[in-house]
Amino acid sequence: MILEIADFRITPGQQAAFEAAVARGVDEAIRHAKGFNGYKLNRCIETPERFVLMIYWDTLEDHTVGFRESPAFTAWRAIVGPFFAAAPVVEHFELASKS
């Protein structure tokens, strides 16, 4: 399992609309992608315009090739992109240890 972490900075005052857009984007563009296993969206307490989106994929390629090179990625960005104050930072992680 691969964990994609996307760190977003959004336009001030758009938190509720961004949260709704992420939910809509997952439902419309990501949910049916090969290898998608769920997501979590966390809102920063200290910096209200910062969000961290965690998406679980079967493989790195399910995200970087299967999803990112599909029309679904374009649809996703059309839904959430208007809220970006800066380009998101996206990285991938694999489990190293667990309690």
Side-chain angles (χ1 to χ4, degrees), residues 1-4 26 30-40 54-60 62-63 67:
M1 176 106 36
I2 298 298
L3 172 61
E4 169 199 356
V26 169
I30 300 176
R31 185 168 306 284
H32 300 292
K34 179 182 180 289
F36 172 76
N37 283 297
Y39 81 100
K40 294 179 185 178
M54 295 168 281
I55 300 180
Y56 300 90
W57 299 95
D58 285 339
T59 69
L60 179 62
D62 285 337
H63 177 237
F67 177 67

Side-chain angles (χ1 to χ4, degrees), residues 15-53:
Q15 292 89 336
F18 179 70
E19 290 175 29
V22 168
R24 186 175 130 228
V26 169
D27 284 342
E28 294 180 12
I30 300 176
R31 185 168 306 284
H32 300 292
K34 179 182 180 289
F36 172 76
N37 283 297
Y39 81 100
K40 294 179 185 178
L41 179 66
N42 289 40
R43 179 184 334 106
C44 184
I45 295 168
E46 292 82 9
T47 308
E49 295 82 25
R50 183 178 181 200
F51 288 82
V52 174
L53 175 64

Side-chain angles (χ1 to χ4, degrees), residues 78-93:
I79 294 167
V80 299
F83 296 94
F84 297 171
V89 175
V90 178
E91 296 179 308
H92 300 90
F93 297 82

